[in-house]
Amino acid sequence: MSRIYDCADETARKDGIADAASAVRRGDLVVLPTDTVYGIGTDAFNPKAVANLLETKGRGRDMPPPVLVGSMRAATALIDDLGNHGRDLMEEFWPGPLTLVCTATPSLSWDLGDTKGTVAVRMPMDPVALELLKETGPMAVSSANKSGQPAAVNAGEAIEQLGDEDVAVYLDGGETDSPVASTIVDLTYAVPRVLRSGAISIEQLRAVCGTVIGELRKGRTRPKKAEGEEDAEQAAETTGAETTGAQAPASGTSASEASKPEAHQAGAAATEPETDGSQGTDRSES
C-alpha cells in the first residue's frame, strides 16, 4: 500500500521527503511533483529499480528515463562533455524547464536502458523535488503515467494511473505550475540542436548560445543521423519534466551504493539550487 503525504503541511512534507528518500535508497519507486508534470522516479544507480520503473510505466529499454539532479555540481559529475555552451545554459535556465542531452561520464556504473553513451539531465524548479534530490542524489525520473496516457499534473491523476501497489510513496505537492514541456537540447554536436520545443524558446537559447539548430518538423527531410543521434531523439520523446527523455551509457551494468560516483554524493550534499530559471513543462514527461 502506497504512503501519501500532503506536502502543503510542513510536518507531512518533512516526513514524506524522509520516507521517499529511504524508499529510493531501497530501490523502490516514488512519485514526486516537478515544475512541469509529476514524475515517477528511483535511484539512477540501481539497475533493478530502473527496470522496475520502466516496467511500471509499460516501457522498454529503448525508451530510457532522464535523470533529475538537485545541483549543477551533481549534473557535471554525470557529464563527460558539456560542449561549448552547456555551462552557460545551466547558469541561465537552471533550475527550470531545460533538459540537456550530453555525453555521459564513461566510468558511471548504471544502466538506464539501451543507449550509446549519452544522458539527458535536468534540474527542476520545484522545492519538493529539490529537497528530495538533495537527499538522494541523481534520480531516474519519467512522467507519472502509464505509457501512452497523459502525464499527471497532480497526485490524484498519478494515483489513478499508477495505483498503490508499485509505488511506495506519493509526494502530493498540489497542481503543477505549468503544462508546458521542458525544452530538450542536444549538446553532443558542435552546434546545439533542439530535439523538443518547450518552455524555453529558441530565441532564448540563441541569446545564450548564438547559433542553435531548431527542432526538425514533420514533413521535412531528415538528414542522415550520426551514431547516437537516433537514441538521443528517442530519449527526447514526449515525457514530461523534468521528465523528459534521458539516456545512459551502453556499457552501464550493475551498480552498488559503494560504487556511486561523485555525482551521487554531490547531489546528496547540495542544499540550494545554484541558479534561478524559468518554469514550465509538458503533459508527457517530467
Side-chain angles (χ1 to χ4, degrees):
M1 179 70 70
S2 301
R3 300 175 294 281
I4 304 170
Y5 295 89
D6 180 3
C7 294
D9 179 86
E10 184 175 351
T11 300
R13 171 171 165 164
K14 181 179 179 180
D15 292 343
I17 289 173
D19 191 4
S22 295
V24 170
R25 295 186 194 106
R26 292 193 302 269
D28 293 336
L29 302 178
V30 302
V31 166
L32 64 153
T34 77
D35 51 346
T36 55
V37 297
Y38 272 69
I40 178 171
T42 193
D43 183 356
F45 297 95
N46 185 327
K48 288 182 65 177
V50 174
N52 186 30
L53 185 156
L54 294 174
E55 182 179 359
T56 298
K57 279 185 61 76
R59 284 188 168 183
R61 287 176 53 84
D62 60 328
M63 299 178 70
V67 175
L68 295 191
V69 295
S71 71
M72 287 176 58
R73 181 184 171 201
T76 55
L78 302 176
I79 295 169
D80 184 57
D81 184 8
L82 276 170
N84 297 325
H85 306 289
R87 175 68 64 173
D88 292 338
L89 289 169
M90 287 179 178
E91 291 178 350
E92 181 69 21
F93 299 114
W94 279 14
L98 178 66
T99 299
L100 299 176
V101 177
C102 305
T103 302
T105 300
S107 60
L108 294 176
S109 294
W110 63 2
D111 183 6
L112 299 180
D114 295 331
T115 66
K116 293 183 179 180
T118 61
V119 60
V121 185
R122 187 166 88 87
M123 181 179 176
M125 171 79 85
D126 183 90
V128 174
L130 289 174
E131 283 186 51
L132 179 59
L133 290 163
K134 162 188 154 184
E135 297 295 329
T136 64
M139 289 179 61
V141 181
S142 186
S143 55
N145 61 287
K146 291 293 186 179
S147 187
Q149 299 300 312
V153 297
N154 57 57
E157 291 183 359
I159 294 169
E160 183 178 352
Q161 291 198 53
L162 300 174
D164 61 1
E165 294 183 3
D166 296 324
V167 177
V169 174
Y170 284 90
L171 297 177
D172 184 353
E175 200 88 2
T176 57
D177 289 336
S178 170
V180 180
S182 67
T183 299
I184 301 178
V185 176
D186 186 349
L187 298 179
T188 62
Y189 297 89
V191 177
R193 172 168 191 267
V194 176
L195 298 183
R196 183 181 71 192
S197 299
I200 306 298
S201 69
I202 194 168
E203 289 76 18
Q204 289 174 288
L205 296 171
R206 286 172 176 163
V208 175
C209 302
T211 303
V212 177
I213 300 173
E215 180 183 13
L216 184 64
R217 300 296 181 182
K218 291 182 179 180
R220 288 169 56 186
T221 302
R222 288 179 176 269
K224 182 178 180 181
K225 292 183 174 67
E227 182 178 359
E229 180 178 350
E230 184 174 353
D231 296 274
E233 293 188 359
Q234 288 177 349
E237 166 267 359
T238 51
T239 59
E242 271 103 359
T243 112
T244 40
Q247 306 173 324
S251 58
T253 53
S254 61
S256 64
E257 190 75 23
S259 68
K260 292 180 182 180
E262 179 190 356
H264 188 277
Q265 302 305 324
T271 53
E272 294 296 328
E274 298 164 357
T275 60
D276 268 343
S278 309
Q279 299 181 356
T281 194
D282 66 2
R283 289 188 57 89
S284 55
E285 204 71 53
S286 64

